[in-house]
Amino acid sequence: MPSPESDPGVRITDKPCPTVAQDVRQMRPPTLPATAACASCVPDAEGGREDTVPPQPGSGVEAGRFRTRNVHGVLRPTTVAQVVAAVRAAGADNRALHPVSTGRNWGLGSRTPVRDGATVLDLSGLDRIRETDVRRGYAVVEPGVTQGRLAAHLAGTSRIVNLTGSSQQTAVIGGLLERGVGLQRGRTEDLAGLELVLADGTTARTGWWPGTAGTVIRPHGRGPSLNHLFTQSAWAIVTAAAVRLMPRPAAVRVLPLLLDERRPERGVDTLRAWTDQGLIPANAKIYDPVAARTYGTPGRYLAHVCLAGDQDLVRATTEIVVERLRNPETGLTLGPDTAADRWVQQAYAGDADPHDTLFLRKTGHCAHCLDRARGLLLFLPIVPFEGAAVRRAAALTRECLAGVTTAPGITMNVLDSEALDHVVTLGFPPENPTAVRDAHRTLDRLHEAFARDGFAVYRTDIDHPLTANDPGPDAVLRNLLGHILDPHGVLAPGRH
């Protein structure tokens, strides 16, 4: 397999790589795009603000207020060759590297390593959209490319990127590798291929790549399918990904549905039945009464059901759903249009929003200051798509609240007709040591309580990582592959 530097289809131009000692001084910091200022940003005379590089690990500034890790240093490569050099040098020095894309893994540790002593490899300077093909439906992007930037790049074309509900300043590749959830589908479905640097500095690719695996995008290809060995994995550093793009829908309609106040589980079961029978797509979002405040319906469970595609199909499905809402047994009623306003509609349509309106509305802060301005922890379990299970998960969450911790917001993302992922958002004032302590006590309790009920987490924070001793049918093979691919534990030790 040719290296990424020599493959003409990728069109990389790398400059000679400096020594690793020089890298610390010469690798440029990321250039942050302008976004809307929030109350915590200092405006200049024109009402804008001067962007600065976000705080680095070791400063103790990240949204979760986890234990501060001692960080050996920060490297900021801008080319694949520099990544290779950094990995080889780290292996020779028996020094750990902790790679991050843009580092906006809020509530789970942001860019902070799991263990002390690691060097952070900040990949946000690899920020090129190398290639897009709207006819065949793919883009090749590097780790520093944000979902908002890719969405803007595709504006006016026949394709969109599957945006998530997080900030548009978060990385496309970061969401793919963490198996995040998009507004239209799971991010794992967007992954076509990966470009890797292994722990010994070898470069490799997995999955489908333009010019090498046929004209039709088939991520699984022939033989063993290797893409997902490297999602939620510390076995390689990803320097680029081939990302599948979705057709731009001719029509988009997001229906805001209010669930029965006294028995919200009835509405959950109706949504499952509709998903199971194909009336609505498997991408609905359900917000508990705290999370629903973002959309102007506090005190009520709210669901967003997105109907997208052919105009006649969207119109007909909307009419069917609205007609079925006349039956009180559904446990659902049509909410106000303001609960799915134009910003919501545009996000589902794949449109870029340079002002990050929904994110500002959810958090009160912009992407550049969230780590220092807000206390935030996330707990992310998978729960059966059943009304009774949703009620049980809500009760468990309430039972786990410790001390001064306030009720969290819970967003439930439909994965398919069987499963909901829960995003439990614990907010706290970061300047209050008691609130920080109690939020972390709550997080520990949530992990213990949900595990007892069989609700497994699907993403972990830096204080609750997957370990070699964790049970599971793949534990033996996972540990064996880890020892083969990274025998000295160079890459993100402890992360996965």
Side-chain angles (χ1 to χ4, degrees):
M1 174 184 295
S3 72
E5 293 87 351
S6 63
D7 186 346
V10 179
R11 299 195 293 275
I12 298 178
T13 303
D14 278 336
K15 297 179 181 178
C17 184
T19 67
V20 172
Q22 291 172 321
D23 281 350
V24 178
R25 299 189 300 271
Q26 294 182 7
M27 291 182 182
R28 66 176 174 83
T31 300
L32 299 176
T35 58
C38 68
S40 297
C41 293
V42 180
D44 62 23
E46 285 74 37
R49 64 184 176 83
E50 193 68 29
D51 284 321
T52 58
V53 178
Q56 299 298 334
S59 67
V61 180
E62 53 79 28
R65 298 308 189 265
F66 292 94
R67 176 186 66 82
T68 300
R69 270 62 168 178
N70 295 317
V71 173
H72 185 269
V74 181
L75 297 176
R76 300 187 182 95
T78 59
T79 66
V80 175
Q82 289 176 345
V83 175
V84 170
V87 170
R88 287 176 176 165
D93 295 340
N94 196 28
R95 177 166 41 83
L97 291 176
H98 180 75
V100 298
S101 48
T102 59
R104 295 180 174 129
N105 200 23
W106 297 299
L108 301 174
S110 296
R111 60 179 68 212
T112 305
V114 173
R115 297 178 183 170
D116 290 309
T119 295
V120 173
L121 190 67
D122 183 339
L123 301 174
S124 58
L126 278 77
D127 58 2
R128 287 170 294 175
I129 300 174
R130 295 183 186 174
E131 181 179 351
T132 56
D133 188 326
V134 296
R135 182 178 63 85
R136 294 164 69 192
Y138 71 85
V140 177
V141 301
E142 293 183 337
V145 175
T146 64
Q147 55 174 347
R149 182 176 161 210
L150 183 56
H153 183 77
L154 295 168
T157 74
S158 60
R159 296 282 178 170
I160 63 171
V161 62
N162 176 28
L163 293 173
T164 74
S166 186
S167 168
Q168 294 205 1
Q169 299 303 313
T170 54
V172 174
I173 285 181
L176 288 174
L177 297 184
E178 285 295 311
R179 302 182 196 145
V181 180
L183 294 176
Q184 294 290 355
R185 62 189 183 191
R187 297 303 305 279
T188 55
E189 296 183 49
D190 300 330
L191 177 58
L194 294 172
E195 176 183 282
L196 309 168
V197 177
L198 303 180
D200 63 357
T202 301
T203 58
R205 285 179 176 169
T206 65
W208 180 91
W209 278 85
T212 62
T215 58
V216 178
I217 301 174
R218 300 297 298 166
H220 300 298
R222 293 181 298 178
S225 181
L226 303 180
N227 272 343
H228 290 288
L229 284 178
F230 301 98
T231 60
Q232 289 200 8
S233 164
W235 296 340
I237 293 172
V238 175
T239 53
V243 179
R244 302 181 74 175
L245 305 175
M246 301 184 69
R248 187 175 297 277
V252 174
R253 177 77 184 274
V254 181
L255 298 175
L257 305 182
L258 296 175
L259 281 65
D260 187 293
E261 290 185 79
R262 291 172 296 179
R263 294 179 58 196
E265 62 270 21
R266 289 201 307 161
V268 173
D269 288 334
T270 296
L271 291 171
R272 174 179 175 159
W274 289 355
T275 303
D276 190 48
Q277 295 302 311
L279 176 61
I280 61 175
N283 61 12
K285 315 294 181 190
I286 306 171
Y287 305 94
D288 85 333
V290 176
R293 295 172 185 168
T294 296
Y295 305 100
T297 59
R300 296 291 301 273
Y301 275 81
L302 170 72
H304 281 161
V305 172
C306 177
L307 307 176
D310 179 83
Q311 291 183 349
D312 291 339
L313 179 61
V314 169
R315 184 183 304 110
T317 307
T318 299
E319 291 174 357
I320 293 171
V321 170
V322 170
E323 177 61 29
R324 292 196 180 184
L325 293 177
R326 297 179 185 277
N327 181 355
E329 293 302 313
T330 62
L332 299 167
T333 56
L334 190 63
D337 290 343
T338 53
D341 62 14
R342 69 185 183 97
W343 303 109
V344 173
Q345 307 285 340
Q346 288 178 8
Y348 277 90
D351 295 341
D353 175 14
H355 301 295
D356 229 357
T357 305
L358 287 178
F359 186 73
L360 282 169
R361 190 189 295 173
K362 290 176 184 177
T363 67
H365 302 284
C366 70
H368 302 318
C369 75
L370 183 70
D371 271 317
R372 63 178 170 80
R374 185 180 180 194
L376 176 68
L377 290 170
L378 295 183
F379 176 64
L380 304 163
I382 298 287
V383 172
F385 192 174
E386 300 169 358
V390 168
R391 177 178 282 277
R392 176 59 179 160
L396 280 177
T397 301
R398 290 191 298 271
E399 293 167 8
C400 289
L401 298 180
V404 299
T405 305
T406 58
I410 304 175
T411 297
M412 291 154 269
N413 299 298
V414 173
L415 302 179
D416 52 37
S417 60
E418 305 294 334
L420 294 168
D421 92 30
H422 277 46
V423 181
V424 181
T425 304
L426 296 166
F428 55 90
E431 71 283 355
N432 184 333
T434 299
V436 174
R437 180 200 64 202
D438 288 347
H440 280 267
R441 287 174 55 208
T442 298
L443 182 62
D444 291 340
R445 291 179 178 182
L446 287 168
H447 277 275
E448 295 168 1
F450 276 68
R452 285 195 301 268
D453 267 41
F455 300 153
V457 297
Y458 74 99
R459 288 175 64 183
T460 57
D461 59 75
I462 59 175
D463 276 358
H464 301 87
L466 181 69
T467 69
N469 298 322
D470 281 349
D474 60 352
V476 172
L477 185 57
R478 184 180 67 236
N479 294 335
L480 176 63
L481 288 171
H483 287 305
I484 293 171
L485 290 170
D486 187 7
H488 304 297
V490 172
L491 303 179
R495 181 68 183 95
H496 290 297

